[in-house]
Amino acid sequence: MGVKRTKFGHNYYYILTIDELKNGNFRGKNVVIEGVIEDKPKIEFLPMELPSYRATFHISGLKIEFSGTPNIGKGESVKVYGRFVGDGIIAKAIETERVLYVTEE
């Protein structure tokens, strides 16, 4: 497997294209992808137990979920670090040109 990896925080992430992610065997693995947000991110307030927020958006049809309220929008280029769960990524970090958003494990 000639896939490149990068270290972010305490973990290594496979650097993939969207196509490699959709075709590969990376379920459950830490991955990093780059792309353009194709819809308006939806930010939900989750009042149960510990109040929190969840942001959801799509890159090339891939669902991205992030715990928090990142200031990102449709058409913006982002780099997403997270765990691939089959139909999407549970993001640990979202990097834009100006800001790095990071969530707790």
Side-chain angles (χ1 to χ4, degrees), residues 46-53:
L46 307 169
M48 304 303 158
E49 302 111 33
L50 295 169
S52 64
Y53 290 90

mmCIF file of all heavy atoms in Angstrom, residues 46-53:
data_model
loop_
_atom_site.group_PDB
_atom_site.id
_atom_site.type_symbol
_atom_site.label_atom_id
_atom_site.label_comp_id
_atom_site.label_asym_id
_atom_site.label_seq_id
_atom_site.Cartn_x
_atom_site.Cartn_y
_atom_site.Cartn_z
ATOM 1 N N LEU A 46 -27.518 20.010 20.276
ATOM 2 C CA LEU A 46 -27.929 18.738 20.870
ATOM 3 C C LEU A 46 -28.003 18.935 22.382
ATOM 4 O O LEU A 46 -26.996 18.870 23.070
ATOM 5 C CB LEU A 46 -26.910 17.650 20.510
ATOM 6 C CG LEU A 46 -26.614 17.527 19.008
ATOM 7 C CD1 LEU A 46 -25.418 16.627 18.766
ATOM 8 C CD2 LEU A 46 -27.827 17.023 18.266
ATOM 9 N N PRO A 47 -29.208 19.195 22.924
ATOM 10 C CA PRO A 47 -29.320 19.562 24.337
ATOM 11 C C PRO A 47 -29.221 18.401 25.338
ATOM 12 O O PRO A 47 -29.155 18.635 26.529
ATOM 13 C CB PRO A 47 -30.704 20.205 24.418
ATOM 14 C CG PRO A 47 -31.478 19.565 23.321
ATOM 15 C CD PRO A 47 -30.491 19.268 22.224
ATOM 16 N N MET A 48 -29.211 17.159 24.865
ATOM 17 C CA MET A 48 -29.186 16.009 25.781
ATOM 18 C C MET A 48 -27.871 15.932 26.554
ATOM 19 O O MET A 48 -26.846 16.388 26.085
ATOM 20 C CB MET A 48 -29.387 14.694 25.010
ATOM 21 C CG MET A 48 -30.642 14.667 24.186
ATOM 22 S SD MET A 48 -32.100 14.962 25.205
ATOM 23 C CE MET A 48 -33.241 15.516 23.974
ATOM 24 N N GLU A 49 -27.904 15.270 27.695
ATOM 25 C CA GLU A 49 -26.748 15.070 28.581
ATOM 26 C C GLU A 49 -25.826 16.282 28.601
ATOM 27 O O GLU A 49 -26.121 17.266 29.223
ATOM 28 C CB GLU A 49 -25.950 13.823 28.169
ATOM 29 C CG GLU A 49 -26.742 12.541 28.151
ATOM 30 C CD GLU A 49 -26.947 12.025 26.738
ATOM 31 O OE1 GLU A 49 -26.062 12.215 25.896
ATOM 32 O OE2 GLU A 49 -28.009 11.440 26.478
ATOM 33 N N LEU A 50 -24.714 16.193 27.881
ATOM 34 C CA LEU A 50 -23.799 17.330 27.811
ATOM 35 C C LEU A 50 -24.194 18.150 26.593
ATOM 36 O O LEU A 50 -24.096 17.665 25.474
ATOM 37 C CB LEU A 50 -22.355 16.834 27.624
ATOM 38 C CG LEU A 50 -21.764 16.039 28.776
ATOM 39 C CD1 LEU A 50 -20.454 15.386 28.371
ATOM 40 C CD2 LEU A 50 -21.553 16.946 29.969
ATOM 41 N N PRO A 51 -24.634 19.372 26.775
ATOM 42 C CA PRO A 51 -25.022 20.163 25.607
ATOM 43 C C PRO A 51 -23.852 20.296 24.638
ATOM 44 O O PRO A 51 -22.708 20.500 25.040
ATOM 45 C CB PRO A 51 -25.388 21.522 26.192
ATOM 46 C CG PRO A 51 -25.710 21.239 27.614
ATOM 47 C CD PRO A 51 -24.838 20.084 28.015
ATOM 48 N N SER A 52 -24.158 20.119 23.363
ATOM 49 C CA SER A 52 -23.110 20.208 22.361
ATOM 50 C C SER A 52 -23.719 20.570 21.017
ATOM 51 O O SER A 52 -24.937 20.639 20.873
ATOM 52 C CB SER A 52 -22.359 18.877 22.262
ATOM 53 O OG SER A 52 -23.228 17.862 21.808
ATOM 54 N N TYR A 53 -22.845 20.785 20.060
ATOM 55 C CA TYR A 53 -23.261 21.100 18.704
ATOM 56 C C TYR A 53 -22.668 20.085 17.748
ATOM 57 O O TYR A 53 -21.608 19.522 18.002
ATOM 58 C CB TYR A 53 -22.762 22.489 18.295
ATOM 59 C CG TYR A 53 -23.457 23.608 19.015
ATOM 60 C CD1 TYR A 53 -22.964 24.087 20.222
ATOM 61 C CD2 TYR A 53 -24.595 24.192 18.480
ATOM 62 C CE1 TYR A 53 -23.605 25.127 20.887
ATOM 63 C CE2 TYR A 53 -25.240 25.235 19.134
ATOM 64 C CZ TYR A 53 -24.735 25.695 20.333
ATOM 65 O OH TYR A 53 -25.372 26.714 20.994
#
